[in-house]
Amino acid sequence: MASASQMKDPLLVGKAIRAQLEHEIPKDLPLERDFREGTDYTITDHVNQLHEQLCPDPRTLQLFNGLVKHLHAFCRETRPSHAEWVRTVEFLTRAGKESTDFKNEFVLLSDCLGISALLDELNHPKPPGCTDSCEEGPFLTKDAPEKPSGSSIASPDTVGEPLFFKATIKNTKGEGIKGAKAEVWQADGDGIYDVQYPGRDVANDRARIVAEPSGDFCYRGKLPTAYGIPDDGPVGDMLHALGRHPHRSSHIHFMLTAPGYDDLTSALYPSHSPFLGTDPVFATKKSLVCQLTEERDPAKWTEMGFKDGEVNTGRVWVWTYDFVLPTVEEVEELKRKLQ
Protein backbone atom coordinates (compact mmCIF):
# COMPACT_ATOMS: atom_id res chain seq x y z
CA MET A 1 0.00 0.00 0.00
CA ALA A 2 1.46 3.35 -1.06
CA SER A 3 2.11 6.00 1.56
CA ALA A 4 1.14 9.66 1.18
CA SER A 5 4.78 10.56 0.52
CA GLN A 6 5.04 7.93 -2.24
CA MET A 7 1.91 9.30 -3.88
CA LYS A 8 3.56 12.72 -4.11
CA ASP A 9 6.93 11.45 -5.29
CA PRO A 10 7.51 12.77 -8.85
CA LEU A 11 9.54 9.64 -9.56
CA LEU A 12 6.42 7.52 -8.97
CA VAL A 13 3.40 9.72 -9.70
CA GLY A 14 2.69 12.00 -12.64
CA LYS A 15 2.08 15.73 -12.52
CA ALA A 16 -1.71 15.61 -12.93
CA ILE A 17 -2.19 13.22 -10.01
CA ARG A 18 0.21 15.19 -7.81
CA ALA A 19 -1.91 18.31 -8.42
CA GLN A 20 -5.05 16.45 -7.37
CA LEU A 21 -3.36 15.12 -4.24
CA GLU A 22 -2.99 18.69 -2.95
CA HIS A 23 -6.71 18.51 -2.15
CA GLU A 24 -7.33 14.86 -1.23
CA ILE A 25 -5.23 11.78 -0.58
CA PRO A 26 -7.11 8.68 -1.81
CA LYS A 27 -7.25 5.57 0.30
CA ASP A 28 -4.93 2.95 -1.17
CA LEU A 29 -5.04 -0.81 -0.56
CA PRO A 30 -2.38 -3.47 -0.94
CA LEU A 31 -2.72 -6.07 -3.72
CA GLU A 32 -2.58 -9.27 -1.71
CA ARG A 33 -3.78 -11.98 -4.10
CA ASP A 34 -4.64 -12.70 -7.70
CA PHE A 35 -8.20 -13.22 -8.88
CA ARG A 36 -8.92 -15.92 -11.42
CA GLU A 37 -12.06 -17.46 -12.89
CA GLY A 38 -12.69 -21.00 -11.65
CA THR A 39 -11.04 -20.39 -8.28
CA ASP A 40 -12.38 -19.35 -4.89
CA TYR A 41 -11.44 -15.74 -5.60
CA THR A 42 -12.83 -14.35 -8.88
CA ILE A 43 -12.95 -10.87 -10.38
CA THR A 44 -16.46 -10.56 -8.87
CA ASP A 45 -15.06 -11.18 -5.39
CA HIS A 46 -12.24 -8.74 -6.01
CA VAL A 47 -14.45 -5.89 -7.26
CA ASN A 48 -16.98 -6.25 -4.45
CA GLN A 49 -14.26 -6.60 -1.80
CA LEU A 50 -12.67 -3.38 -3.04
CA HIS A 51 -16.01 -1.57 -2.82
CA GLU A 52 -16.68 -2.94 0.66
CA GLN A 53 -13.40 -1.50 1.92
CA LEU A 54 -13.69 1.88 0.20
CA CYS A 55 -17.33 2.86 -0.30
CA PRO A 56 -18.50 5.21 2.50
CA ASP A 57 -22.27 4.88 1.90
CA PRO A 58 -24.02 1.55 2.75
CA ARG A 59 -26.85 2.01 0.24
CA THR A 60 -24.47 2.89 -2.60
CA LEU A 61 -22.42 -0.18 -1.67
CA GLN A 62 -25.52 -2.39 -1.73
CA LEU A 63 -26.63 -1.10 -5.13
CA PHE A 64 -23.25 -1.48 -6.81
CA ASN A 65 -22.42 -4.85 -5.28
CA GLY A 66 -25.78 -6.14 -6.52
CA LEU A 67 -25.18 -4.64 -9.96
CA VAL A 68 -21.69 -6.19 -10.23
CA LYS A 69 -22.94 -9.56 -9.00
CA HIS A 70 -25.74 -9.80 -11.57
CA LEU A 71 -23.80 -8.32 -14.50
CA HIS A 72 -20.97 -10.76 -13.90
CA ALA A 73 -23.51 -13.61 -13.60
CA PHE A 74 -25.00 -12.53 -16.94
CA CYS A 75 -21.56 -12.72 -18.57
CA ARG A 76 -20.88 -16.17 -17.11
CA GLU A 77 -24.30 -17.42 -18.23
CA THR A 78 -24.32 -16.04 -21.80
CA ARG A 79 -20.55 -15.77 -22.45
CA PRO A 80 -20.69 -12.85 -24.93
CA SER A 81 -17.77 -12.59 -27.32
CA HIS A 82 -15.58 -9.49 -27.39
CA ALA A 83 -17.29 -8.43 -30.63
CA GLU A 84 -20.74 -8.82 -29.05
CA TRP A 85 -19.70 -6.78 -26.04
CA VAL A 86 -18.28 -4.06 -28.29
CA ARG A 87 -21.67 -3.90 -30.05
CA THR A 88 -23.35 -3.63 -26.64
CA VAL A 89 -21.14 -0.71 -25.65
CA GLU A 90 -21.73 0.93 -29.03
CA PHE A 91 -25.50 0.52 -28.50
CA LEU A 92 -25.32 2.25 -25.09
CA THR A 93 -23.07 4.96 -26.52
CA ARG A 94 -25.67 5.66 -29.24
CA ALA A 95 -28.40 5.78 -26.59
CA GLY A 96 -26.52 8.55 -24.81
CA LYS A 97 -25.61 10.52 -27.93
CA GLU A 98 -29.10 10.38 -29.43
CA SER A 99 -30.98 11.31 -26.23
CA THR A 100 -32.64 14.72 -26.09
CA ASP A 101 -34.95 16.54 -23.68
CA PHE A 102 -37.91 15.13 -25.61
CA LYS A 103 -36.62 11.63 -26.43
CA ASN A 104 -34.43 10.00 -23.81
CA GLU A 105 -33.22 6.68 -25.20
CA PHE A 106 -32.14 5.44 -21.78
CA VAL A 107 -35.64 6.04 -20.38
CA LEU A 108 -37.05 4.19 -23.39
CA LEU A 109 -34.61 1.36 -22.78
CA SER A 110 -35.70 1.11 -19.14
CA ASP A 111 -39.34 1.10 -20.25
CA CYS A 112 -38.93 -1.42 -23.07
CA LEU A 113 -37.03 -3.92 -20.90
CA GLY A 114 -39.75 -3.82 -18.24
CA ILE A 115 -37.49 -2.20 -15.63
CA SER A 116 -39.67 0.89 -15.21
CA ALA A 117 -42.75 -1.29 -14.67
CA LEU A 118 -40.92 -3.46 -12.14
CA LEU A 119 -39.62 -0.49 -10.14
CA ASP A 120 -43.11 0.98 -10.06
CA GLU A 121 -44.50 -2.26 -8.59
CA LEU A 122 -41.70 -2.45 -6.03
CA ASN A 123 -42.15 1.14 -4.88
CA HIS A 124 -45.95 1.22 -5.01
CA PRO A 125 -47.27 -2.24 -4.13
CA LYS A 126 -51.07 -2.44 -4.19
CA PRO A 127 -53.23 -4.17 -1.60
CA PRO A 128 -55.85 -6.50 -3.15
CA GLY A 129 -58.62 -4.61 -4.92
CA CYS A 130 -56.64 -1.42 -5.49
CA THR A 131 -56.11 0.08 -8.93
CA ASP A 132 -52.87 -0.98 -10.56
CA SER A 133 -50.29 1.65 -11.45
CA CYS A 134 -47.95 2.24 -14.37
CA GLU A 135 -45.35 4.76 -15.45
CA GLU A 136 -46.43 8.30 -16.32
CA GLY A 137 -44.72 8.34 -19.73
CA PRO A 138 -42.99 11.32 -21.34
CA PHE A 139 -45.95 13.66 -21.98
CA LEU A 140 -46.95 14.87 -18.51
CA THR A 141 -46.65 18.66 -18.33
CA LYS A 142 -46.92 21.27 -15.58
CA ASP A 143 -49.39 23.56 -17.35
CA ALA A 144 -52.60 21.52 -17.23
CA PRO A 145 -55.47 23.81 -16.16
CA GLU A 146 -57.50 23.00 -13.04
CA LYS A 147 -61.15 22.41 -13.91
CA PRO A 148 -64.28 21.30 -12.07
CA SER A 149 -65.80 17.90 -12.68
CA GLY A 150 -67.98 17.86 -15.80
CA SER A 151 -65.71 20.14 -17.84
CA SER A 152 -64.37 19.62 -21.33
CA ILE A 153 -60.62 19.07 -21.57
CA ALA A 154 -60.44 19.26 -25.40
CA SER A 155 -60.55 22.38 -27.54
CA PRO A 156 -63.36 22.48 -30.16
CA ASP A 157 -61.02 21.76 -33.06
CA THR A 158 -59.41 18.69 -31.47
CA VAL A 159 -59.32 15.63 -33.72
CA GLY A 160 -61.28 12.60 -32.56
CA GLU A 161 -64.69 11.18 -31.73
CA PRO A 162 -66.58 12.55 -28.69
CA LEU A 163 -65.81 10.88 -25.36
CA PHE A 164 -67.53 11.06 -21.99
CA PHE A 165 -65.42 9.71 -19.14
CA LYS A 166 -66.88 9.12 -15.68
CA ALA A 167 -65.18 7.63 -12.62
CA THR A 168 -65.24 7.33 -8.86
CA ILE A 169 -62.25 7.51 -6.50
CA LYS A 170 -62.80 5.24 -3.49
CA ASN A 171 -60.80 3.76 -0.63
CA THR A 172 -60.40 0.09 0.17
CA LYS A 173 -63.59 0.25 2.28
CA GLY A 174 -65.63 1.32 -0.73
CA GLU A 175 -66.04 4.88 0.50
CA GLY A 176 -65.69 7.90 -1.77
CA ILE A 177 -62.55 9.91 -1.02
CA LYS A 178 -63.15 13.55 -0.19
CA GLY A 179 -60.55 16.01 -1.46
CA ALA A 180 -59.36 13.82 -4.35
CA LYS A 181 -57.97 15.31 -7.55
CA ALA A 182 -57.39 13.65 -10.91
CA GLU A 183 -54.81 14.91 -13.38
CA VAL A 184 -55.70 13.64 -16.85
CA TRP A 185 -53.67 13.72 -20.06
CA GLN A 186 -54.09 11.85 -23.33
CA ALA A 187 -53.49 11.76 -27.05
CA ASP A 188 -56.15 12.94 -29.49
CA GLY A 189 -57.97 10.98 -32.19
CA ASP A 190 -54.83 10.91 -34.31
CA GLY A 191 -52.71 9.48 -31.49
CA ILE A 192 -50.89 12.80 -31.03
CA TYR A 193 -50.33 14.70 -27.76
CA ASP A 194 -50.67 18.46 -27.66
CA VAL A 195 -46.93 18.90 -26.98
CA GLN A 196 -46.16 17.11 -30.25
CA TYR A 197 -47.87 19.76 -32.35
CA PRO A 198 -45.58 22.57 -33.61
CA GLY A 199 -46.26 25.94 -32.03
CA ARG A 200 -48.26 24.51 -29.14
CA ASP A 201 -48.83 27.31 -26.60
CA VAL A 202 -52.00 26.21 -24.79
CA ALA A 203 -52.62 22.94 -22.95
CA ASN A 204 -55.10 20.61 -24.65
CA ASP A 205 -56.40 17.10 -23.90
CA ARG A 206 -55.23 17.52 -20.31
CA ALA A 207 -56.56 18.96 -17.05
CA ARG A 208 -56.45 18.74 -13.26
CA ILE A 209 -59.99 17.84 -12.28
CA VAL A 210 -61.31 18.40 -8.78
CA ALA A 211 -63.53 15.48 -7.82
CA GLU A 212 -66.84 15.93 -6.03
CA PRO A 213 -66.84 15.31 -2.23
CA SER A 214 -68.28 11.88 -3.09
CA GLY A 215 -65.12 11.04 -5.06
CA ASP A 216 -66.96 11.20 -8.40
CA PHE A 217 -65.59 13.08 -11.39
CA CYS A 218 -66.24 13.22 -15.11
CA TYR A 219 -65.09 15.09 -18.19
CA ARG A 220 -65.79 15.48 -21.88
CA GLY A 221 -63.08 15.01 -24.46
CA LYS A 222 -61.99 12.96 -27.46
CA LEU A 223 -61.42 9.24 -27.81
CA PRO A 224 -57.64 8.64 -27.99
CA THR A 225 -56.09 6.27 -30.51
CA ALA A 226 -52.95 4.13 -30.58
CA TYR A 227 -49.58 5.69 -31.33
CA GLY A 228 -45.93 4.69 -31.54
CA ILE A 229 -43.04 5.45 -29.21
CA PRO A 230 -39.92 6.85 -30.92
CA ASP A 231 -38.29 4.00 -32.85
CA ASP A 232 -35.70 5.87 -34.91
CA GLY A 233 -32.89 5.26 -32.42
CA PRO A 234 -31.06 2.36 -30.77
CA VAL A 235 -34.12 1.26 -28.74
CA GLY A 236 -36.11 0.99 -31.96
CA ASP A 237 -33.33 -1.17 -33.40
CA MET A 238 -33.49 -3.35 -30.28
CA LEU A 239 -37.25 -3.81 -30.61
CA HIS A 240 -36.86 -4.76 -34.26
CA ALA A 241 -34.13 -7.29 -33.41
CA LEU A 242 -36.43 -8.86 -30.82
CA GLY A 243 -39.36 -9.10 -33.23
CA ARG A 244 -41.30 -6.46 -31.30
CA HIS A 245 -43.11 -3.31 -32.48
CA PRO A 246 -43.10 0.23 -31.00
CA HIS A 247 -46.89 0.73 -30.97
CA ARG A 248 -48.76 1.62 -27.77
CA SER A 249 -52.42 0.80 -27.24
CA SER A 250 -54.95 3.62 -26.95
CA HIS A 251 -55.01 4.94 -23.39
CA ILE A 252 -55.69 7.79 -21.00
CA HIS A 253 -53.19 8.76 -18.31
CA PHE A 254 -54.23 9.56 -14.75
CA MET A 255 -52.47 10.85 -11.67
CA LEU A 256 -54.73 10.69 -8.62
CA THR A 257 -53.96 12.39 -5.32
CA ALA A 258 -55.82 12.69 -2.04
CA PRO A 259 -54.72 13.62 1.50
CA GLY A 260 -53.58 10.54 3.41
CA TYR A 261 -53.63 8.26 0.37
CA ASP A 262 -50.84 6.84 -1.76
CA ASP A 263 -50.57 8.77 -5.03
CA LEU A 264 -51.62 6.75 -8.05
CA THR A 265 -50.13 7.15 -11.52
CA SER A 266 -51.88 4.86 -13.96
CA ALA A 267 -53.50 4.56 -17.38
CA LEU A 268 -56.69 2.99 -18.69
CA TYR A 269 -57.07 1.17 -22.02
CA PRO A 270 -60.16 0.54 -24.17
CA SER A 271 -60.73 -3.14 -24.89
CA HIS A 272 -61.18 -2.43 -28.63
CA SER A 273 -57.60 -1.19 -29.01
CA PRO A 274 -54.89 -3.24 -30.73
CA PHE A 275 -51.49 -3.92 -29.12
CA LEU A 276 -52.87 -4.65 -25.62
CA GLY A 277 -50.74 -7.78 -25.27
CA THR A 278 -47.63 -6.44 -26.97
CA ASP A 279 -47.25 -3.00 -25.37
CA PRO A 280 -43.58 -2.05 -25.88
CA VAL A 281 -43.28 -0.46 -22.41
CA PHE A 282 -45.27 -3.15 -20.50
CA ALA A 283 -47.72 -0.62 -19.04
CA THR A 284 -50.91 -2.48 -20.02
CA LYS A 285 -52.47 -4.64 -17.32
CA LYS A 286 -55.65 -6.64 -17.67
CA SER A 287 -57.25 -4.87 -14.71
CA LEU A 288 -56.82 -1.54 -16.52
CA VAL A 289 -58.57 -2.61 -19.74
CA CYS A 290 -62.11 -1.21 -19.98
CA GLN A 291 -65.18 -2.03 -22.04
CA LEU A 292 -66.55 1.14 -23.63
CA THR A 293 -70.14 1.68 -24.78
CA GLU A 294 -71.63 3.87 -27.49
CA GLU A 295 -74.38 6.33 -26.62
CA ARG A 296 -76.49 7.28 -29.67
CA ASP A 297 -79.31 9.13 -27.91
CA PRO A 298 -78.92 12.92 -28.39
CA ALA A 299 -80.87 13.54 -25.18
CA LYS A 300 -78.17 11.67 -23.27
CA TRP A 301 -75.48 13.74 -24.98
CA THR A 302 -77.12 16.88 -23.58
CA GLU A 303 -77.18 15.37 -20.09
CA MET A 304 -73.44 14.73 -20.44
CA GLY A 305 -72.85 18.40 -21.22
CA PHE A 306 -72.36 18.31 -24.99
CA LYS A 307 -73.80 21.34 -26.82
CA ASP A 308 -76.07 21.19 -29.87
CA GLY A 309 -74.04 20.35 -32.97
CA GLU A 310 -70.98 19.37 -30.95
CA VAL A 311 -71.54 15.67 -31.65
CA ASN A 312 -71.50 15.05 -35.39
CA THR A 313 -70.46 11.39 -35.43
CA GLY A 314 -73.80 9.96 -34.35
CA ARG A 315 -72.36 8.62 -31.12
CA VAL A 316 -70.53 9.47 -27.92
CA TRP A 317 -68.12 6.94 -26.48
CA VAL A 318 -68.84 6.35 -22.79
CA TRP A 319 -65.98 5.20 -20.57
CA THR A 320 -66.44 4.44 -16.88
CA TYR A 321 -64.09 3.20 -14.18
CA ASP A 322 -63.88 2.88 -10.39
CA PHE A 323 -60.47 3.82 -8.98
CA VAL A 324 -59.49 2.39 -5.58
CA LEU A 325 -56.67 4.03 -3.61
CA PRO A 326 -54.88 2.59 -0.58
CA THR A 327 -53.85 4.78 2.32
CA VAL A 328 -50.18 5.58 2.85
CA GLU A 329 -50.24 3.32 5.92
CA GLU A 330 -51.68 0.40 3.94
CA VAL A 331 -48.90 0.67 1.35
CA GLU A 332 -46.14 0.92 3.95
CA GLU A 333 -47.50 -2.12 5.78
CA LEU A 334 -47.55 -4.10 2.52
CA LYS A 335 -43.96 -3.04 1.76
CA ARG A 336 -42.83 -4.39 5.11
CA LYS A 337 -44.53 -7.73 4.40
CA LEU A 338 -42.95 -8.01 0.95
CA GLN A 339 -39.38 -7.23 2.04
Side-chain angles (χ1 to χ4, degrees):
M1 180 171 61
S3 65
S5 59
Q6 285 178 303
M7 291 182 187
K8 295 182 178 181
D9 188 339
L11 185 65
L12 304 175
V13 177
K15 179 179 180 180
I17 294 180
R18 295 201 310 274
Q20 294 174 2
L21 296 180
E22 293 299 323
H23 307 285
E24 182 180 1
I25 302 293
K27 184 177 179 180
D28 190 26
L29 297 174
L31 183 62
E32 296 179 333
R33 61 185 299 192
D34 284 327
F35 54 83
R36 183 167 288 106
E37 192 67 9
T39 71
D40 64 349
Y41 190 69
T42 67
I43 179 62
T44 309
D45 301 312
H46 187 66
V47 172
N48 283 345
Q49 184 183 86
L50 182 68
H51 291 162
E52 287 165 4
Q53 294 182 69
L54 296 178
C55 182
D57 180 64
R59 178 58 176 164
T60 301
L61 176 63
Q62 181 185 22
L63 290 170
F64 273 87
N65 277 5
L67 178 66
V68 169
K69 173 184 174 182
H70 290 286
L71 280 177
H72 287 206
F74 163 79
C75 291
R76 291 186 175 99
E77 178 184 345
T78 62
R79 295 185 176 274
S81 66
H82 285 291
E84 289 170 332
W85 191 248
V86 166
R87 288 200 297 271
T88 300
V89 173
E90 290 173 345
F91 171 84
L92 295 174
T93 302
R94 280 185 59 204
K97 288 182 176 180
E98 296 183 25
S99 290
T100 67
D101 291 341
F102 302 102
K103 190 193 74 166
N104 189 310
E105 288 285 333
F106 276 108
V107 172
L108 282 175
L109 183 61
S110 173
D111 293 345
C112 291
L113 290 178
I115 297 172
S116 299
L118 173 60
L119 288 177
D120 183 63
E121 288 193 14
L122 293 173
N123 284 282
H124 295 276
K126 304 300 178 189
C130 291
T131 304
D132 284 320
S133 59
C134 65
E135 286 297 299
E136 67 185 37
F139 299 118
L140 177 63
T141 67
K142 296 181 179 180
D143 64 348
E146 185 165 295
K147 296 187 175 185
S149 177
S151 300
S152 172
I153 70 167
S155 62
D157 59 348
T158 303
V159 175
E161 296 202 9
L163 168 71
F164 181 74
F165 182 89
K166 183 177 182 180
T168 61
I169 306 175
K170 299 179 180 180
N171 60 25
T172 55
K173 299 177 182 178
E175 303 164 337
I177 298 176
K178 186 177 181 180
K181 290 185 179 181
E183 180 150 1
V184 183
W185 67 103
Q186 61 168 81
D188 61 18
D190 277 339
I192 301 174
Y193 287 82
D194 59 348
V195 294
Q196 295 178 297
Y197 283 102
R200 179 262 199 199
D201 56 4
V202 177
N204 190 33
D205 289 319
R206 62 180 74 237
R208 295 187 184 96
I209 300 175
V210 181
E212 303 291 344
S214 61
D216 298 329
F217 75 93
C218 63
Y219 74 86
R220 288 170 284 117
K222 298 294 184 178
L223 183 71
T225 57
Y227 63 87
I229 64 171
D231 65 338
D232 57 346
V235 175
D237 292 344
M238 180 193 75
L239 291 176
H240 179 73
L242 292 170
R244 294 167 58 189
H245 62 72
H247 312 308
R248 296 221 57 208
S249 300
S250 309
H251 58 275
I252 303 175
H253 292 278
F254 296 90
M255 183 178 290
L256 306 184
T257 57
Y261 290 84
D262 191 48
D263 295 350
L264 173 69
T265 301
S266 191
L268 299 179
Y269 304 80
S271 60
H272 63 247
S273 180
F275 316 125
L276 289 171
T278 51
D279 179 20
V281 301
F282 302 102
T284 54
K285 298 177 181 177
K286 197 169 183 179
S287 64
L288 301 176
V289 176
C290 306
Q291 184 71 43
L292 277 59
T293 59
E294 299 177 39
E295 181 55 70
R296 295 182 177 272
D297 183 355
K300 297 292 186 182
W301 304 343
T302 301
E303 292 177 10
M304 295 172 187
F306 290 97
K307 299 183 176 72
D308 290 341
E310 194 173 357
V311 179
N312 54 22
T313 57
R315 64 186 175 188
V316 170
W317 291 91
V318 179
W319 194 333
T320 62
Y321 192 79
D322 290 331
F323 293 99
V324 180
L325 303 185
T327 64
V328 173
E329 290 79 8
E330 287 173 323
V331 171
E332 291 304 316
E333 181 181 355
L334 184 56
K335 282 183 179 180
R336 288 192 291 270
K337 291 180 179 178
L338 294 174
Q339 286 178 350

